[in-house]
Amino acid sequence: MNLALLLLILNLFVGVFSKEALKPNVVNVGAIFSFSTTNGRVAKVAMKAAENDINSDPSILGGKKLSITLHDSNFSSFLGIIGALQFMETDTVAIIGPQSSGMAHVLSHLANELHVPLLSFTALDPGLSPLQFPFFVQTAPNDKFQMTAIAEMISYFRWAEVIAVFNDDDQNRNGVITLDDELAGRRCRISYKAVLPPDPTATSSDVRRELTKIQMMESRVIVLHTFSGTGLLVFEVAKSLGMMGKGYVWIASTWLSTVLDSTSPLKPETAKSIRGALTLRPHTPDSKKKRDFISHWNQLSRGSIGFNPYGLYAYDTVWMIARAVKLLLDQGGNISFSNYAHLADAGGMDLNLSALSIFDGGKQLLKNIIETNVTGLTGPVRFDQDRSRINPSYDVINVVKSGYRPVGFWSNHSGLSIMPPETFYGKKPNRSSLNQHLGSVVWPGGGTRPRGWVFPNNGRQLRIGVPNRVSFRDFVSIVNGTDKVQGYCIDVFLAAIKLMPYAVPYRFIPFGDGLKNPSYYELVSKINSGVFDGAVGDIAIVTDRTRIVDFTQPYIESGLVVVAPVKRISLSPWSFARPFTPFMWAVTAAFFLIVGSVVWILEHRINDEFRGPPRQQIVTILTFSFSTMFFAHRENTVSTLGRLVLIIWLFVVLIINSSYTASLTSILTVQQLSSPIKGIDSLISSSEPIGFQVGSFARSYLIEELNIPRSRLIALGSPEEYAEALEKRTVAAIVDEQPYVDLFLSEHCEFSVRGQEFTKRSWGFAFPRDSPLAIDMSTAILALSENGELQKIRDRWLSRSACSSEESNDESEELDLKSFWGLFLICGSACILALLVYFLLMFHQFSQHCPEEPGSTSRDRSRTYSSRLRTCLSFIDKKVEKSQSSSKRKREGTPPKGYHKENV
């Protein structure tokens, strides 16, 4: 309410109330409630009890008396404003209330101007921001936490859509907005918002009109966020409409728990109408102070009203004010008021506003209230940085025949649990869905957990779109001249429908002109626009479609493959050479010679079998190296380096032999197919045209993902067109989904799949976004897969005595050097290292046996270089007797073979 209106109200009523003389020994506190309501009556008893307890302890206010003045707003915001003005006139330090958030929005402007704190435990609108209303303090958890708890309950029970029924006022409206936001974060939503007139003006006809609409809707989960008067009326009308039976879920906000706690016993009609509902109650930890207070409640209330948790919040709120005032006085402040000059001069109006004054200590009192840190009847009383009560939590209550029972708890710290929230406060917060638990619930009408939705009660069948195919009709087809639909996909759908736990009325509607295969993206788009309620057929689950609809669990794999013409490769007399490429043969032969030469160098000085005339040594190198292929070499190696090189080479030979044998066996025993197209990579690198099926997602995939020019793509509509295009070389290959290709190849043996499947796709049934039917159908498809029925359907429609069952493997690739270069690298490195070590040892021995003559000039040394080089080569070529060889020959009684001192 703007300032001018407040001034007008003040001008009308300022003469009605006279300013009370300031009494230094009295601390005035106001309270604005509708005292005919349940919470108003409970708050009145609790506040007076707190006032008496405070005044009975002189140490609290240092001899001052706390005086709480009650004002009944009687559901009227206008009367609430009048009460607030009256309190402002009587130098009130704080006001408890108002009860409703709508009134709180108005009175907070007054509180801001006059620095009088407003403390409310019932006006819990999340929209009452402390930034906009700094002097308004919510002393109970606001409705943001209550809506979060309800959203987590809905997510816990796996419901996707809910209907919100609420009064059209600030608190309930903003609460439902908050609920919608919380549900969206959990992939749920409010499908319909039923708005009722503000409490208590809603009538039975208003409620009946909205509930009749809800009966015709799909969702059966109803969140009732109202006040007690309207809430009980809604349940009464729902009972008469049969909406408290099986299949329905009712979740009421905290108003219902206050009715259950404070109204005992309930009227039989009321008790029956709310049976099975879930509700929340503000959770307060158990303590001796709390038990003592509750035990005296009947004495305090004189049996006029039953206790509920808001009585504890009312009691603690009064104590918060008293402690804040005591701290203010201890800080040297005093309770004083000063005139508000801005109002006196506003607009030149002749108004007597001197009755209103600013509380001088209001800011400090507000600061003391916000910094409260005590333990009250409601548990720890402390505010976080957002001015919200710490550790907000609720009891989850289920209404049963005998009354109600708790089924769990919710807290902002640990979420849903069956243990009290305070048991988790010492642990790290864990809101994981795996740790959320609630006890068993008695639902309306009994039975198991409702699925939360039904088909709309309007007699309309589900409109299921099916593609009117002209090719590959084994998957889905319309029987000519009838409205009958048949095929593999249809049988899977019908089998899944039979496993659904409820009846699903439906009718098939063909999509397409019957002259060519329809666009599947357009078919799926019809679901998003509301033309169809679902689509059944050979519909691939691809990204652009999942953005607009929900798919079921896949029922068949369907990735893209390449089909191309192939020719049989006949065997020839030279087939034995095919396992290796020519380059591989050349490198292998070269290494045979290299290894043989290296072993000869390492063995020549010490092994008689590697000595002799030059012709004999060349023959030895050749026979030794090539005989290693069969591990039958005649010559023995005696040097350590020679044996090391030979061991590594024999390992290489073993691998080469094994690979050659395996490849040759495959070539000689398996029918080979040849085609220039090896797979998708070779197809992309070529410039030849590519065929695809009309309506398939293959076209968009080839263009958008593989960047193939549109000019290369040719649309084909049937298996006959496939075969004709491939035979006439109109296309080099066809890219299509695996199930279509399997059927095509079952009748065309001259073609084959080339390469591997290069996308991972599947087929599924499409339904609108967030449709519960998609989830239930997915469960049914999984059941079909587990019991083997899905495979039986596939065998019935797609099994062929196909020539595709013959060997149509890709051409066996020749083994290239890239498969073995690591082995050759190891062997070559070993040869180089062995030679390096060998020649270093030789040069070292040569320098010891033939030292350079000392004192020779540079000229002399240059003349002897060639002579010294010849001497070195002679030294390296010289035969050296090994002790082992000598002893062996001595034992045999024979002289060394070819022994002489001269160089050989």
Side-chain angles (χ1 to χ4, degrees), residues 71-97:
H71 177 81
D72 190 352
S73 62
N74 196 24
F75 300 100
S76 171
S77 296
F78 182 76
L79 293 180
I81 295 172
I82 299 304
L85 291 173
Q86 179 183 6
F87 292 142
M88 302 300 183
E89 294 173 357
T90 55
D91 294 341
T92 299
V93 299
I95 297 176
I96 302 175

Side-chain angles (χ1 to χ4, degrees), residues 888-902:
K888 177 180 179 182
R889 283 172 169 77
K890 287 179 182 180
R891 288 195 303 268
E892 294 174 353
T894 59
K897 181 181 179 181
Y899 171 78
H900 52 81
K901 292 183 178 180
E902 291 78 18

Side-chain angles (χ1 to χ4, degrees), residues 355-495:
L356 296 180
S357 56
I358 298 175
F359 178 26
D360 297 327
K363 290 185 178 180
Q364 185 60 43
L365 181 64
L366 175 65
K367 182 174 181 294
N368 294 343
I369 291 172
I370 295 172
E371 293 177 352
T372 298
N373 187 2
V374 297
T375 300
L377 299 184
T378 56
V381 181
R382 193 163 72 250
F383 297 93
D384 61 19
Q385 59 184 3
D386 297 324
R387 297 246 308 251
S388 297
R389 281 285 295 266
I390 65 166
N391 299 331
S393 55
Y394 296 89
D395 301 336
V396 182
I397 294 174
N398 182 206
V399 182
V400 294
K401 183 176 182 180
S402 58
Y404 64 87
R405 64 175 185 177
V407 294
F409 305 89
W410 178 90
S411 75
N412 197 44
H413 181 84
S414 56
L416 298 170
S417 68
I418 57 176
M419 299 293 292
E422 50 268 21
T423 61
F424 298 98
Y425 291 150
K427 303 176 182 178
K428 185 178 179 180
N430 189 347
R431 300 281 293 278
S432 169
S433 59
L434 298 177
N435 294 316
Q436 305 299 293
H437 302 285
L438 286 178
S440 60
V441 176
V442 176
W443 303 102
T448 59
R449 175 185 67 86
R451 67 176 185 268
W453 69 280
V454 295
F455 292 103
N457 188 21
N458 51 19
R460 183 175 66 84
Q461 295 177 319
L462 290 180
R463 297 160 299 180
I464 304 297
V466 294
N468 189 7
R469 295 192 59 89
V470 297
S471 63
F472 295 108
R473 293 168 61 86
D474 297 84
F475 294 105
V476 58
S477 62
I478 311 298
V479 179
N480 293 332
T482 69
D483 57 357
K484 183 180 178 182
V485 183
Q486 64 182 13
Y488 166 72
C489 302
I490 301 301
D491 279 6
V492 173
F493 175 78
L494 296 177

Side-chain angles (χ1 to χ4, degrees), residues 220-367:
R220 284 295 181 262
V221 182
I222 303 171
V223 176
L224 185 55
H225 188 41
T226 63
F227 295 108
S228 58
T230 302
L232 292 177
L233 179 61
V234 170
F235 276 119
E236 179 184 336
V237 175
K239 178 69 174 176
S240 66
L241 293 175
M243 297 176 66
M244 293 304 297
K246 282 188 177 181
Y248 282 91
V249 177
W250 288 84
I251 303 176
S253 50
T254 54
W255 68 265
L256 181 55
S257 66
T258 63
V259 172
L260 295 172
D261 288 331
S262 299
T263 307
S264 181
L266 291 173
K267 296 179 181 179
E269 297 79 7
T270 302
K272 289 181 180 179
S273 67
I274 63 176
R275 190 174 300 164
L278 291 170
T279 185
L280 298 176
R281 173 203 286 153
H283 176 75
T284 54
D286 187 34
S287 65
K288 185 177 184 305
K289 291 170 60 177
K290 173 183 171 181
R291 291 194 299 269
D292 291 342
F293 182 79
I294 296 175
S295 65
H296 292 90
W297 180 259
N298 285 335
Q299 180 181 352
L300 295 172
S301 65
R302 298 178 182 177
S304 61
I305 185 69
F307 170 81
N308 72 54
Y310 287 104
L312 303 177
Y313 285 103
Y315 186 91
D316 280 355
T317 299
V318 176
W319 272 93
M320 288 171 61
I321 296 173
R323 289 190 175 97
V325 170
K326 180 181 185 300
L327 184 57
L328 173 67
L329 298 175
D330 293 342
Q331 293 167 339
N334 54 26
I335 300 175
S336 62
F337 298 83
S338 58
N339 293 330
Y340 189 25
H342 296 289
L343 283 178
D345 299 331
M349 299 174 63
D350 187 16
L351 298 175
N352 181 17
L353 301 176
S354 59
L356 296 180
S357 56
I358 298 175
F359 178 26
D360 297 327
K363 290 185 178 180
Q364 185 60 43
L365 181 64
L366 175 65
K367 182 174 181 294

Side-chain angles (χ1 to χ4, degrees), residues 453-644:
W453 69 280
V454 295
F455 292 103
N457 188 21
N458 51 19
R460 183 175 66 84
Q461 295 177 319
L462 290 180
R463 297 160 299 180
I464 304 297
V466 294
N468 189 7
R469 295 192 59 89
V470 297
S471 63
F472 295 108
R473 293 168 61 86
D474 297 84
F475 294 105
V476 58
S477 62
I478 311 298
V479 179
N480 293 332
T482 69
D483 57 357
K484 183 180 178 182
V485 183
Q486 64 182 13
Y488 166 72
C489 302
I490 301 301
D491 279 6
V492 173
F493 175 78
L494 296 177
I497 287 292
K498 292 179 181 179
L499 296 181
M500 298 285 278
Y502 46 85
V504 181
Y506 65 90
R507 61 189 177 96
F508 292 125
I509 301 176
F511 176 75
D513 56 12
L515 303 177
K516 63 179 181 180
N517 293 333
S519 168
Y520 281 60
Y521 184 81
E522 292 181 9
L523 171 59
V524 171
S525 299
K526 294 292 184 181
I527 300 175
N528 190 44
S529 61
V531 175
F532 294 138
D533 299 310
V536 171
D538 48 337
I539 306 171
I541 304 173
V542 294
T543 304
D544 59 347
R545 298 172 188 172
T546 58
R547 294 191 181 103
I548 56 177
V549 297
D550 280 349
F551 282 93
T552 63
Q553 173 79 14
Y555 58 88
I556 189 174
E557 298 297 322
S558 176
L560 292 177
V561 294
V562 176
V563 179
V566 293
K567 62 180 181 179
R568 308 290 175 179
I569 300 177
S570 58
L571 299 178
S572 70
W574 301 100
S575 296
F576 70 87
R578 284 174 53 192
F580 291 160
T581 61
F583 185 62
M584 177 64 183
W585 279 116
V587 171
T588 304
F591 260 84
F592 273 109
L593 297 175
I594 291 171
V595 172
S597 300
V598 170
V599 172
W600 177 84
I601 292 172
L602 297 175
E603 297 288 325
H604 180 66
R605 297 187 77 228
I606 62 176
N607 194 336
D608 293 336
E609 295 177 355
F610 287 85
R611 300 189 67 83
R615 180 180 298 179
Q616 179 181 344
Q617 295 180 55
I618 292 173
V619 173
T620 299
I621 292 174
L622 293 175
T623 57
F624 176 82
S625 60
F626 285 101
S627 65
T628 56
M629 179 179 291
F630 313 103
F631 309 106
H633 49 85
R634 180 175 60 84
E635 297 80 1
N636 294 320
T637 55
V638 297
S639 68
T640 303
L641 292 175
R643 290 175 177 175
L644 177 64

